[in-house]
Amino acid sequence: MKLWSKGFEPDKMIEEFTVGADRELDLKLAKYDVQGSMAHIKMLESIGLLTKDELTTLLAALEDIAQMIERGEFTIEPGVEDVHSQVEFLLTQRLGDTGKKIHSGRSRNDQVLVDLKLFMRDELKKTAESVQHLFDRLQHLSEEHKDVLMPGYTHLQIAMPSSFGLWFGAYAEALVDDMQFVAAAYNIANQNPLGSAAGYGSSFPLNRTMTTELLGFETMHYNVVAAQMSRGKTERAVGMAIAAIASTLGRFAMDVCMWMCQNFSFISFPDELTTGSSIMPHKKNPDVFEIMRGKCNRLQSIPNEIALLTANLPLGYNRDLQLLKDIIFPATAELRSCLEMCDFMLAHIRVKDNILDDPKYNYLFTVEDVNRLALNGMPFREAYRTVGMQVQNGEYTPTKSVHHTHEGSIGNLCNDKIAKKMQAVMNRIR
Ligand code: ARG
């Protein structure tokens, strides 16, 4: 039985093909669908389309459904198309004609839109929380190991001294920039589309300001066509936020795999956090970070997938939009699992001391020595040549002391300033 049934049933194959993964994916929208319906009927009552009694009965029934969802007992039955239909069927089953009144002045098009906005808003908040945890962990590690030096590379050739303080702290600060995308996506999601109905509004005198306030949206998509257009645009913004974080995390995962390699051996993890080989008995592999790298690389394709799915769609609702859920729903969950796993692993990371004592890293200090000569009065170019000749003739011996003091350098990480920047962007998400 369909909401739109007009006396004939569609072919079974057509139904399965068009419903797709909705019966499963829509379960994530169920609680938001009920919230949206509650706001909608309160508004309907305020404009005289429902009586006070009808509103009370409907709200009680919706509250029951909300609890059913909370207990994990809500399912979308076979033959029911989506979450919107299931909620309405439950209501009509219980309340008869009163249940059928709930849909006045709305369409599943704005219903799914409002569900998605509320869902994405929550997902972004949860993502922000996970990012904050990882950020705090990275900053903590940066401070803890700020005096432990490691090689810095350019072209993957040893370049200049770096430190674990810089390395961990760099990824923390990179996450601040990623959070700008999350904040942008959050603000795009935080707008009420309800009342746009099928995409062109309604002749009922809907009070959209009221539903905006009831649902705690910052503002509304005023133009009803723009509201419908926001389907796909919002997902794209969320996808860009996901991709931004994934690019930072994927790169970090690569560093970890590399630093764990025996040719570097800069870091390690307890045995139980590594994985073995079925043939090589000595193996302690970084599978966690390899899977993370792979997942994060895939997540970076999300904006592309959305761009292709929505390219050149005509204005208004098109059923293609349903497939956005297939892309976005698993992606937000997957990103969070990567963030949480990374934080978990970093709680156990061990870093190696005295890496730079190894003579193979001697050349890391050439710039330090050039600068020392320059500070003592020798023109920079001459100092550069002097040390260059020492290297050339195999006569270079490093003075292995590092004295970096400017903002953001080894000796002055500015982690407190970076934390303030993070706080400022996090404040935009509420
Ligand atoms: N499952 C649909 C979706 O996600 C719900 C909206 C259906 N609207 C329609 N006109 N068929 O897009």
Side-chain angles (χ1 to χ4, degrees):
M1 178 67 176
K2 304 280 160 299
L3 290 176
W4 41 269
S5 177
K6 290 176 276 294
F8 66 90
E9 285 298 306
D11 185 281
K12 255 270 102 5
M13 265 176 77
I14 301 297
E15 165 162 1
E16 287 315 308
F17 189 76
T18 51
V19 167
D22 259 16
R23 270 184 211 116
E24 192 196 323
L25 293 177
D26 272 15
L27 292 178
K28 289 212 184 302
L29 297 181
K31 90 173 203 215
Y32 305 108
D33 202 71
V34 170
Q35 284 172 18
S37 289
M38 284 178 161
H40 182 67
I41 56 174
K42 284 179 191 166
M43 186 276 292
L44 287 184
E45 188 270 338
S46 78
I47 59 170
L49 285 179
L50 287 173
T51 66
K52 255 211 154 41
D53 285 349
E54 285 170 334
L55 175 63
T56 314
T57 328
L58 280 167
L59 282 176
L62 280 170
E63 186 49 49
D64 274 356
I65 298 174
Q67 279 167 22
M68 214 172 134
I69 296 165
E70 190 72 32
R71 289 194 303 268
E73 289 163 10
F74 179 89
T75 53
I76 299 170
E77 292 156 42
V80 176
E81 259 190 302
D82 51 29
V83 65
H84 327 293
S85 316
Q86 181 69 37
V87 171
E88 196 171 323
F89 280 136
L90 288 175
L91 287 178
T92 12
Q93 234 173 33
R94 290 179 198 187
L95 308 175
D97 279 352
T98 315
K100 292 183 190 159
K101 288 192 172 178
I102 188 169
H103 209 56
S104 314
R106 74 173 180 185
S107 146
R108 276 184 301 163
N109 295 354
D110 66 337
Q111 204 177 340
V112 65
L113 260 170
V114 81
D115 293 4
L116 285 166
K117 295 273 192 186
L118 294 169
F119 168 79
M120 287 190 273
R121 212 171 57 165
D122 272 5
E123 287 295 299
L124 291 168
K125 266 195 196 156
K126 286 189 218 158
T127 303
E129 258 171 51
S130 302
V131 170
Q132 181 76 59
H133 285 145
L134 180 59
F135 174 84
D136 292 343
R137 171 87 58 201
L138 287 164
Q139 282 223 312
H140 179 82
L141 286 166
S142 171
E143 284 297 318
E144 185 180 350
H145 303 295
K146 67 175 171 215
D147 297 322
V148 186
L149 297 181
M150 72 192 298
Y153 297 82
T154 67
H155 310 262
L156 208 51
Q157 304 282 309
I158 61 162
M160 281 179 66
S162 182
S163 69
F164 281 98
L166 273 181
W167 181 53
F168 288 121
Y171 281 95
E173 189 166 6
L175 286 173
V176 177
D177 287 349
D178 300 336
M179 284 306 301
Q180 304 280 5
F181 288 87
V182 178
Y186 183 84
N187 287 307
I188 291 171
N190 201 8
Q191 305 180 83
N192 186 17
L194 195 60
S196 58
Y200 298 94
S202 163
S203 53
F204 291 122
L206 305 176
N207 183 346
R208 298 190 62 210
T209 301
M210 180 175 171
T211 55
T212 301
E213 279 163 13
L214 284 172
L215 292 167
F217 282 113
E218 180 69 29
T219 180
M220 70 176 92
H221 282 294
Y222 287 99
N223 182 308
V224 289
V225 177
Q228 180 55 54
M229 275 172 88
S230 77
R231 186 140 186 218
K233 270 176 101 67
T234 315
E235 284 87 342
R236 197 197 285 232
V238 172
M240 283 160 79
I242 291 173
I245 297 169
S247 77
T248 302
L249 207 52
R251 197 167 188 186
F252 182 72
M254 173 62 206
D255 284 359
V256 169
C257 293
M258 194 157 68
W259 302 155
M260 271 177 82
C261 161
Q262 288 78 0
N263 297 71
F264 294 92
S265 279
F266 297 164
I267 56 172
S268 60
F269 290 91
D271 288 353
E272 63 276 18
L273 302 187
T274 61
T275 39
S277 149
S278 58
I279 178 171
M280 297 166 281
H282 65 283
K283 282 293 222 169
K284 286 171 190 161
N285 289 331
D287 291 31
V288 167
F289 287 96
E290 292 171 298
I291 295 285
M292 196 182 296
R293 181 174 60 195
K295 285 187 173 207
C296 287
N297 284 343
R298 275 186 53 199
L299 286 170
Q300 287 177 75
S301 73
I302 301 282
N304 278 346
E305 276 185 56
I306 293 177
L308 291 175
L309 173 62
T310 57
N312 305 334
L313 283 186
L315 207 54
Y317 178 83
N318 301 279
R319 190 72 181 264
D320 321 42
L321 296 170
Q322 175 176 299
L323 301 176
L324 287 161
K325 292 186 281 198
D326 301 49
I327 302 175
I328 281 290
F329 286 22
T332 51
E334 184 127 300
L335 178 69
R336 272 209 307 283
S337 87
C338 289
L339 285 164
E340 280 155 23
M341 181 50 79
C342 190
D343 183 42
F344 171 78
M345 292 297 285
L346 287 182
H348 305 278
I349 194 170
R350 296 170 184 149
V351 315
K352 189 170 157 194
D353 272 332
N354 306 318
I355 298 173
L356 303 195
D357 288 353
D358 189 324
K360 73 172 168 244
Y361 298 120
N362 278 358
Y363 291 151
L364 289 173
F365 296 92
T366 57
V367 182
E368 307 298 308
D369 283 315
V370 170
N371 289 357
R372 198 166 295 112
L373 291 177
L375 277 172
N376 290 334
M378 191 185 283
F380 181 81
R381 265 298 148 233
E382 208 175 306
Y384 174 93
R385 238 186 76 80
T386 307
V387 175
M389 289 315 291
Q390 289 171 0
V391 170
Q392 195 66 21
N393 302 330
E395 291 159 1
Y396 173 73
T397 43
T399 327
K400 291 195 171 181
S401 87
V402 175
H403 190 60
H404 292 195
T405 56
H406 67 75
E407 297 97 325
S409 64
I410 295 174
N412 183 8
L413 294 170
C414 298
N415 281 332
D416 52 341
K417 306 236 170 32
I418 295 168
K420 280 213 180 89
K421 282 204 295 184
M422 187 55 124
Q423 199 48 55
V425 60
M426 285 289 178
N427 286 344
R428 291 171 52 206
I429 302 172
R430 54 169 133 203

Short mmCIF file of all heavy atoms in Angstrom, two decimals, residues 215-246:
data_model
loop_
_atom_site.label_atom_id
_atom_site.label_comp_id
_atom_site.label_asym_id
_atom_site.label_seq_id
_atom_site.Cartn_x
_atom_site.Cartn_y
_atom_site.Cartn_z
N LEU A 215 12.00 23.67 15.40
CA LEU A 215 13.04 22.68 15.08
C LEU A 215 14.45 23.19 15.39
O LEU A 215 15.44 22.50 15.16
CB LEU A 215 12.93 22.25 13.61
CG LEU A 215 11.66 21.43 13.30
CD1 LEU A 215 11.45 21.31 11.80
CD2 LEU A 215 11.74 20.04 13.94
N GLY A 216 14.50 24.40 15.92
CA GLY A 216 15.81 24.94 16.33
C GLY A 216 16.74 25.26 15.17
O GLY A 216 17.96 25.23 15.32
N PHE A 217 16.16 25.56 14.01
CA PHE A 217 17.00 25.96 12.88
C PHE A 217 17.41 27.42 13.06
O PHE A 217 16.64 28.23 13.57
CB PHE A 217 16.26 25.81 11.55
CG PHE A 217 16.19 24.39 11.05
CD1 PHE A 217 14.97 23.72 10.99
CD2 PHE A 217 17.33 23.72 10.62
CE1 PHE A 217 14.89 22.41 10.52
CE2 PHE A 217 17.26 22.42 10.15
CZ PHE A 217 16.03 21.76 10.10
N GLU A 218 18.60 27.72 12.55
CA GLU A 218 19.12 29.08 12.64
C GLU A 218 18.28 30.04 11.79
O GLU A 218 17.99 31.16 12.17
CB GLU A 218 20.57 29.05 12.13
CG GLU A 218 21.31 30.36 12.14
CD GLU A 218 21.61 30.84 13.55
OE1 GLU A 218 21.76 29.96 14.42
OE2 GLU A 218 21.68 32.07 13.76
N THR A 219 17.88 29.55 10.62
CA THR A 219 17.07 30.36 9.71
C THR A 219 16.29 29.39 8.82
O THR A 219 16.26 28.20 9.10
CB THR A 219 17.98 31.32 8.89
OG1 THR A 219 17.17 32.10 8.00
CG2 THR A 219 19.01 30.57 8.06
N MET A 220 15.67 29.90 7.76
CA MET A 220 15.00 28.97 6.83
C MET A 220 15.53 29.20 5.42
O MET A 220 16.12 30.25 5.13
CB MET A 220 13.49 29.15 6.86
CG MET A 220 12.99 30.43 6.26
SD MET A 220 11.17 30.52 6.20
CE MET A 220 10.78 31.33 7.75
N HIS A 221 15.34 28.23 4.57
CA HIS A 221 15.51 28.48 3.14
C HIS A 221 14.21 29.17 2.74
O HIS A 221 13.16 28.54 2.71
CB HIS A 221 15.63 27.16 2.37
CG HIS A 221 16.98 26.52 2.48
ND1 HIS A 221 18.11 27.08 1.94
CD2 HIS A 221 17.37 25.35 3.03
CE1 HIS A 221 19.14 26.30 2.17
NE2 HIS A 221 18.73 25.24 2.83
N TYR A 222 14.25 30.48 2.51
CA TYR A 222 13.02 31.23 2.26
C TYR A 222 12.36 30.81 0.95
O TYR A 222 11.22 30.37 0.92
CB TYR A 222 13.30 32.74 2.26
CG TYR A 222 13.57 33.26 3.65
CD1 TYR A 222 14.87 33.45 4.09
CD2 TYR A 222 12.52 33.52 4.52
CE1 TYR A 222 15.12 33.91 5.38
CE2 TYR A 222 12.76 33.98 5.81
CZ TYR A 222 14.06 34.17 6.23
OH TYR A 222 14.30 34.61 7.49
N ASN A 223 13.10 30.94 -0.11
CA ASN A 223 12.54 30.64 -1.43
C ASN A 223 12.30 29.13 -1.52
O ASN A 223 13.21 28.33 -1.31
CB ASN A 223 13.56 31.10 -2.48
CG ASN A 223 13.07 30.89 -3.89
OD1 ASN A 223 12.65 29.79 -4.24
ND2 ASN A 223 13.14 31.92 -4.71
N VAL A 224 11.05 28.76 -1.80
CA VAL A 224 10.71 27.33 -1.75
C VAL A 224 11.48 26.52 -2.80
O VAL A 224 11.78 25.34 -2.58
CB VAL A 224 9.19 27.10 -1.91
CG1 VAL A 224 8.45 27.55 -0.65
CG2 VAL A 224 8.62 27.81 -3.16
N VAL A 225 11.80 27.16 -3.92
CA VAL A 225 12.57 26.45 -4.95
C VAL A 225 14.01 26.26 -4.46
O VAL A 225 14.62 25.20 -4.60
CB VAL A 225 12.53 27.20 -6.30
CG1 VAL A 225 13.39 26.49 -7.34
CG2 VAL A 225 11.09 27.29 -6.80
N ALA A 226 14.54 27.32 -3.82
CA ALA A 226 15.89 27.20 -3.25
C ALA A 226 15.93 26.11 -2.18
O ALA A 226 16.92 25.39 -2.05
CB ALA A 226 16.34 28.54 -2.67
N ALA A 227 14.84 26.02 -1.41
CA ALA A 227 14.78 24.98 -0.37
C ALA A 227 14.94 23.61 -1.01
O ALA A 227 15.74 22.77 -0.57
CB ALA A 227 13.45 25.06 0.38
N GLN A 228 14.21 23.37 -2.09
CA GLN A 228 14.32 22.08 -2.78
C GLN A 228 15.70 21.90 -3.40
O GLN A 228 16.27 20.82 -3.38
CB GLN A 228 13.20 21.95 -3.83
CG GLN A 228 13.21 20.64 -4.60
CD GLN A 228 13.18 19.41 -3.70
OE1 GLN A 228 12.31 19.28 -2.84
NE2 GLN A 228 14.14 18.51 -3.87
N MET A 229 16.25 23.02 -3.92
CA MET A 229 17.61 22.95 -4.49
C MET A 229 18.66 22.58 -3.47
O MET A 229 19.74 22.09 -3.81
CB MET A 229 18.01 24.33 -5.05
CG MET A 229 17.57 24.62 -6.44
SD MET A 229 17.95 26.35 -6.78
CE MET A 229 19.62 26.21 -7.36
N SER A 230 18.34 22.84 -2.20
CA SER A 230 19.35 22.58 -1.17
C SER A 230 19.57 21.08 -0.99
O SER A 230 20.55 20.66 -0.39
CB SER A 230 18.95 23.21 0.16
OG SER A 230 17.96 22.44 0.81
N ARG A 231 18.67 20.27 -1.54
CA ARG A 231 18.94 18.83 -1.51
C ARG A 231 20.05 18.56 -2.52
O ARG A 231 19.93 18.90 -3.70
CB ARG A 231 17.70 18.02 -1.85
CG ARG A 231 17.95 16.53 -1.68
CD ARG A 231 16.78 15.81 -1.07
NE ARG A 231 17.10 14.42 -0.79
CZ ARG A 231 16.26 13.42 -0.95
NH1 ARG A 231 15.05 13.66 -1.39
NH2 ARG A 231 16.62 12.19 -0.65
N GLY A 232 21.11 17.99 -2.08
CA GLY A 232 22.25 17.80 -2.98
C GLY A 232 23.32 18.83 -2.70
O GLY A 232 24.48 18.50 -2.54
N LYS A 233 22.89 20.10 -2.60
CA LYS A 233 23.87 21.15 -2.26
C LYS A 233 24.35 20.96 -0.81
O LYS A 233 25.52 21.11 -0.52
CB LYS A 233 23.25 22.55 -2.41
CG LYS A 233 23.43 23.13 -3.81
CD LYS A 233 22.72 24.47 -3.94
CE LYS A 233 23.63 25.66 -3.84
NZ LYS A 233 24.58 25.81 -4.93
N THR A 234 23.41 20.65 0.06
CA THR A 234 23.80 20.44 1.46
C THR A 234 24.70 19.23 1.58
O THR A 234 25.74 19.26 2.24
CB THR A 234 22.54 20.24 2.34
OG1 THR A 234 21.58 21.23 1.98
CG2 THR A 234 22.87 20.35 3.80
N GLU A 235 24.31 18.15 0.91
CA GLU A 235 25.11 16.93 0.95
C GLU A 235 26.50 17.18 0.39
O GLU A 235 27.49 16.63 0.86
CB GLU A 235 24.44 15.81 0.15
CG GLU A 235 23.27 15.15 0.85
CD GLU A 235 21.95 15.87 0.60
OE1 GLU A 235 21.96 17.06 0.17
OE2 GLU A 235 20.90 15.25 0.83
N ARG A 236 26.56 18.03 -0.63
CA ARG A 236 27.86 18.31 -1.23
C ARG A 236 28.77 19.04 -0.22
O ARG A 236 29.96 18.75 -0.10
CB ARG A 236 27.72 19.15 -2.50
CG ARG A 236 28.98 19.10 -3.34
CD ARG A 236 28.99 20.20 -4.35
NE ARG A 236 28.09 19.95 -5.46
CZ ARG A 236 28.46 20.01 -6.74
NH1 ARG A 236 29.70 20.28 -7.04
NH2 ARG A 236 27.60 19.82 -7.70
N ALA A 237 28.16 19.98 0.52
CA ALA A 237 28.94 20.70 1.54
C ALA A 237 29.41 19.73 2.62
O ALA A 237 30.56 19.79 3.06
CB ALA A 237 28.08 21.82 2.14
N VAL A 238 28.51 18.84 3.01
CA VAL A 238 28.91 17.84 4.02
C VAL A 238 30.02 16.95 3.46
O VAL A 238 31.00 16.64 4.14
CB VAL A 238 27.68 16.99 4.45
CG1 VAL A 238 28.10 15.84 5.35
CG2 VAL A 238 26.64 17.86 5.15
N GLY A 239 29.86 16.59 2.20
CA GLY A 239 30.88 15.75 1.55
C GLY A 239 32.24 16.45 1.50
O GLY A 239 33.28 15.81 1.69
N MET A 240 32.22 17.75 1.28
CA MET A 240 33.49 18.49 1.25
C MET A 240 34.12 18.52 2.63
O MET A 240 35.36 18.43 2.75
CB MET A 240 33.26 19.90 0.70
CG MET A 240 33.11 19.90 -0.82
SD MET A 240 32.29 21.35 -1.46
CE MET A 240 33.61 22.50 -1.42
N ALA A 241 33.29 18.64 3.64
CA ALA A 241 33.81 18.61 5.01
C ALA A 241 34.42 17.23 5.31
O ALA A 241 35.52 17.13 5.87
CB ALA A 241 32.70 18.94 6.00
N ILE A 242 33.70 16.20 4.91
CA ILE A 242 34.21 14.83 5.12
C ILE A 242 35.55 14.67 4.39
O ILE A 242 36.52 14.15 4.95
CB ILE A 242 33.19 13.79 4.59
CG1 ILE A 242 31.94 13.79 5.48
CG2 ILE A 242 33.81 12.40 4.51
CD1 ILE A 242 30.80 12.93 4.95
N ALA A 243 35.58 15.13 3.15
CA ALA A 243 36.79 14.95 2.34
C ALA A 243 37.97 15.73 2.93
O ALA A 243 39.12 15.27 2.89
CB ALA A 243 36.52 15.40 0.91
N ALA A 244 37.68 16.91 3.49
CA ALA A 244 38.76 17.72 4.07
C ALA A 244 39.40 16.98 5.24
O ALA A 244 40.63 16.84 5.32
CB ALA A 244 38.22 19.07 4.53
N ILE A 245 38.57 16.49 6.13
CA ILE A 245 39.11 15.76 7.29
C ILE A 245 39.81 14.49 6.82
O ILE A 245 40.90 14.14 7.29
CB ILE A 245 37.98 15.42 8.28
CG1 ILE A 245 37.35 16.70 8.83
CG2 ILE A 245 38.53 14.56 9.42
CD1 ILE A 245 36.07 16.47 9.60
N ALA A 246 39.18 13.81 5.86
CA ALA A 246 39.76 12.54 5.37
C ALA A 246 41.14 12.77 4.76
O ALA A 246 42.02 11.92 4.88
CB ALA A 246 38.82 11.89 4.36
#
